[in-house]
């Protein structure tokens, strides 16, 4: 698609956008002067859906008026709340509903999953991660290695971009798995890399890992609600994600896990157990013999926090109303391609996009390096001008145009502001 410059063209794209009406389903934050922010940070904290408040109110009301009855009565009893979320959540990640459970938070879930799926033996004990993994993932993995009494230095394999490059090359991941495959117990990689926005080929990595006898898990923090996923079909062993980024469920909102059917159906997998993972039919008989549910819910330990789960109802409903991930992904490709176009048109030589050029290898996020000025300073100026994006050390500004609530005009206004600030800095 060939684009044109100018705000009138951006507004034309918005008029033709079949998803444009969803923008008014969200609250947009304001600056102190009352002007709406230009919000391009759905990759970090998604905006609040208008309906979130009433979803929480509804559960508060059930608690006020019925207390314990809330578990059993009404249209959505709390005992079945997990089931209410499982199918729409599974749709987002390409899973069977029994393969998905909403619980805990992302890093906690990484630990829970590694308790089951990192089982080092004397010959196969290594974990393959990326050198620039999100710190929390890195810490979690190192602490799991230590938990087994192993030495981190001997047990961690890190893939990294080649020197002078920003992106991971699939051939380097392949080479590392080929070289160390028979020692690798677990491959744990992101679906979308948080710093560069690069999408990894999860299907190929899973296949390759399995060929070498490795377990393969993914951190989908930046992938869920952003790109299309087929976790079941790809044969991924497990995955974890949070719901406060592209899923718009609020700060620190509850996370979720995928466990492949081949594992959920195996009652003998070791897990950190609790009463809410126990067979529902006999849970309240209070026996002391653990009988896990043969679904991903078998990994739940506690009774679910209903008030924390209520925002996810509002969130998932919007993904359904949009028509699902393939529809959203189409608009997302158009938004990011349009931003790429404007950067080339207006900011050539001043801004480098380190995110892959190929639309299939990137999601909503573009990571921008400033070539002619201090990036952090420019980021601060963007903030002062009402543009909400973020700065990540060592040197990128991350922006995401999110198909649920961002417009083509948002993209235009962002580039226009960036160009104006850069021109001012050059003088
Ligand atoms: C956002 C993010 C986290 C955050 O973890 P929490 O446990 O939710 O605080 C972890 N890993 C990655 C890759 C992330 O993008």
């Amino acid at each position: 698609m060939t684009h044109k410059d100018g705000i009138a063209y951006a507004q034309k794209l918005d008029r033709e956008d079949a998803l444009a009406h969803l923008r008014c389903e969200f609250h947009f934050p304001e600056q102190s002067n009352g002007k709406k922010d230009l919000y391009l940070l759905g990759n970090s904290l998604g905006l609040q859906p208008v309906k979130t408040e009433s979803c929480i109110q509804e559960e508060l009301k059930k608690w006020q008026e019925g207390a314990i009855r809330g578990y059993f009565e009404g249209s959505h009893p709390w005992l079945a709340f997990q089931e209410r979320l499982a199918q729409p959540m599974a749709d987002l990640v390409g899973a069977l509903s029994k393969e998905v459970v909403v619980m805990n938070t992302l890093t906690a879930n990484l630990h829970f999953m590694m308790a089951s799926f990192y089982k080092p033996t004397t010959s196969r004990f290594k974990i393959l991660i990326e050198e620039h993994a999100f710190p929390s993932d890195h810490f979690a993995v190192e602490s799991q290695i230590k938990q087994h009494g192993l030495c981190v230095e001997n047990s961690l394999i890190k893939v990294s971009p080649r020197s002078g490059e920003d992106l991971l090359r699939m051939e380097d991941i392949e080479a590392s798995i080929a070289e160390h495959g028979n020692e690798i117990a677990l491959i744990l990689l992101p679906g979308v890399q948080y710093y560069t926005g690069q999408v990894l080929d999860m299907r190929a990595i899973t296949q390759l890992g399995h060929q070498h006898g490795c377990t393969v898990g993914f951190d989908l923090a930046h992938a869920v609600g952003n790109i299309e996923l087929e976790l079941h079909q790809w044969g991924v062993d497990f995955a974890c994600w949070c719901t406060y980024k592209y899923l718009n469920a609020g700060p620190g909102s509850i996370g979720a896990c995928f466990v492949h059917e081949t594992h959920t159906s195996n009652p003998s997998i070791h897990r950190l157990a609790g009463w809410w993972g126990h067979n529902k039919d006999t849970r309240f008989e209070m026996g002391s013999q653990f009988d896990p549910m043969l679904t991903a819910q078998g990994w739940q330990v506690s009774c679910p926090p209903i008030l924390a789960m209520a925002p996810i109802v509002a969130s998932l409903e919007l993904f359904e109303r949009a028509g699902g991930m393939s529809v959203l992904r189409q608009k997302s490709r158009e938004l990011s391609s349009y931003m790429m176009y404007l950067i080339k048109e207006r900011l050539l030589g001043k801004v480098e996009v380190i995110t892959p050029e190929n639309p299939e290898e990137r999601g909503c996020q573009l990571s921008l390096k400033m070539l002619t000025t201090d990036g952090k300073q420019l980021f601060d100026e963007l903030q002062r001008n009402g543009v909400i994006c973020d700065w990540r050390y060592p040197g990128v500004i991350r922006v995401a145009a999110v198909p649920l609530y961002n417009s083509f005009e948002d993209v235009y206004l962002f580039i226009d502001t960036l160009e104006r600030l850069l021109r001012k800095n050059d003088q």
Side-chain angles (χ1 to χ4, degrees):
M1 188 166 172
T2 49
H3 289 293
K4 279 191 273 192
D5 203 339
I7 194 160
Y9 176 75
Q11 289 166 342
K12 172 179 160 305
L13 292 179
D14 285 329
R15 280 194 304 274
E16 293 166 359
D17 171 17
L19 298 177
H21 64 286
L22 292 172
R23 186 176 168 94
C24 53
E25 302 291 335
F26 290 87
H27 292 290
F28 277 77
E30 287 178 359
Q31 304 155 54
S32 50
N33 62 10
K35 253 188 82 187
K36 287 239 183 322
D37 285 323
L38 186 49
Y39 198 84
L40 295 168
L41 201 49
N43 56 304
S44 180
L45 180 66
L47 293 182
Q48 183 184 133
V50 171
K51 225 187 134 181
T52 303
E53 197 170 337
S54 64
C55 283
I56 299 174
Q57 287 295 348
E58 194 181 320
E59 303 314 320
L60 282 172
K61 198 151 171 273
K62 277 193 222 166
W63 178 26
Q64 274 166 24
E65 295 175 355
I68 196 70
R69 289 186 201 93
Y71 275 102
F72 315 101
E73 294 175 8
S75 50
H76 297 290
W78 294 331
L79 272 181
F81 218 86
Q82 188 69 254
E83 281 77 9
R84 190 180 174 190
L85 304 179
Q87 189 59 56
M89 189 65 100
D91 290 343
L92 282 188
V93 296
L96 308 175
S97 63
K98 66 174 172 184
E99 292 173 319
V100 168
V101 58
V102 173
M103 64 179 198
N104 308 333
T105 50
L106 171 52
T107 309
N109 282 332
L110 285 171
H111 280 295
F112 271 68
M113 290 292 106
M114 282 191 275
S116 290
F117 297 108
Y118 176 51
K119 290 283 158 206
T121 65
T122 47
S123 60
R124 194 185 276 282
F125 58 93
K126 298 191 178 179
I127 303 185
L128 180 120
I129 60 169
E130 43 147 0
E131 167 107 47
H132 303 302
F134 193 92
S136 200
D137 300 47
H138 207 124
F139 302 153
V141 163
E142 287 203 1
S143 65
Q144 284 285 331
I145 289 171
K146 289 180 190 160
Q147 175 92 355
H148 289 278
L150 297 167
C151 156
V152 169
E153 206 182 320
N154 295 336
S155 308
L156 207 51
I157 301 171
K158 298 184 232 173
V159 286
S160 60
R162 294 185 185 179
S163 108
E165 298 187 5
D166 295 297
L167 303 174
L168 286 163
R169 291 192 190 209
M170 188 59 199
E171 65 208 86
D172 292 344
I173 297 174
E174 280 169 11
S176 193
I177 297 175
E179 186 186 344
H180 305 286
N182 57 357
E183 294 175 328
I184 295 174
L186 172 65
I187 296 170
L188 184 61
L189 290 170
V192 175
Q193 215 279 348
Y194 80 96
Y195 183 80
T196 63
Q198 178 182 16
V199 177
L200 295 184
D201 188 342
M202 287 168 267
R203 178 204 299 264
I205 291 168
T206 305
Q207 202 173 20
L208 199 66
H210 287 171
Q211 275 164 18
H212 287 83
C214 321
T215 299
V216 183
F218 288 99
D219 183 324
L220 301 178
H222 285 268
V224 70
N226 180 13
I227 60 169
E228 287 172 84
L229 297 161
E230 290 294 343
L231 299 181
H232 175 80
Q233 197 198 320
W234 296 339
V236 169
D237 292 294
F238 71 86
C240 309
W241 58 95
C242 51
T243 59
Y244 46 81
K245 291 170 179 164
Y246 294 102
L247 296 194
N248 314 310
S253 53
I254 188 167
C257 279
F258 163 88
V259 181
H260 200 278
E261 188 184 24
T262 52
H263 303 302
T264 61
S265 59
N266 175 4
S268 63
I269 287 184
H270 170 75
R271 67 193 87 201
L272 300 178
W275 74 315
W276 226 260
H278 185 92
N279 184 347
K280 262 192 225 166
D281 299 333
T282 55
R283 183 184 289 148
F284 295 102
E285 290 169 16
M286 307 314 246
S288 56
Q289 187 71 36
F290 183 58
D291 173 19
M293 290 171 77
L294 297 181
T295 68
Q297 287 186 52
W299 272 263
Q300 286 182 108
V301 289
S302 297
C303 61
I306 298 300
L307 297 180
M309 286 160 105
I312 299 187
V313 174
S315 158
L316 295 176
E317 206 175 283
L318 286 169
F319 280 86
E320 280 183 298
R321 274 181 56 190
M325 274 316 297
S326 64
V327 176
L328 285 162
R329 177 72 166 130
Q330 183 54 34
K331 177 175 171 187
S332 164
R333 276 193 203 95
E334 285 161 15
L335 284 167
S336 65
S337 300
Y338 176 54
M339 195 184 298
M340 286 290 238
Y341 162 84
L342 287 174
I343 289 171
K344 281 185 193 150
E345 202 67 12
R346 300 265 202 111
L347 304 167
L348 203 66
K350 295 185 177 179
V351 171
E352 180 196 349
V353 180
I354 67 166
T355 309
E357 176 88 36
N358 175 1
E360 299 314 308
E361 291 175 50
R362 62 169 194 247
C364 298
Q365 176 190 329
L366 296 184
S367 301
L368 314 179
K369 265 188 191 165
M370 298 303 126
L371 301 174
T372 57
T373 187
D374 182 83
K376 173 72 170 66
Q377 249 172 38
L378 191 82
F379 163 72
D380 292 337
E381 275 180 65
L382 282 167
Q383 297 264 86
R384 283 196 288 277
N385 283 271
V387 178
I388 309 297
C389 48
D390 73 6
W391 168 257
R392 279 287 172 269
Y393 284 103
V396 295
I397 293 174
R398 300 188 304 177
V399 288
V402 168
L404 273 175
Y405 53 74
N406 282 121
S407 63
F408 291 88
E409 186 170 343
D410 287 344
V411 172
Y412 179 85
L413 292 174
F414 166 63
I415 298 294
D416 205 51
T417 308
L418 185 57
E419 189 192 22
R420 182 164 50 81
L421 296 176
L422 280 168
R423 204 179 310 125
K424 203 174 78 192
N425 271 3
D426 288 348
Q427 277 163 7

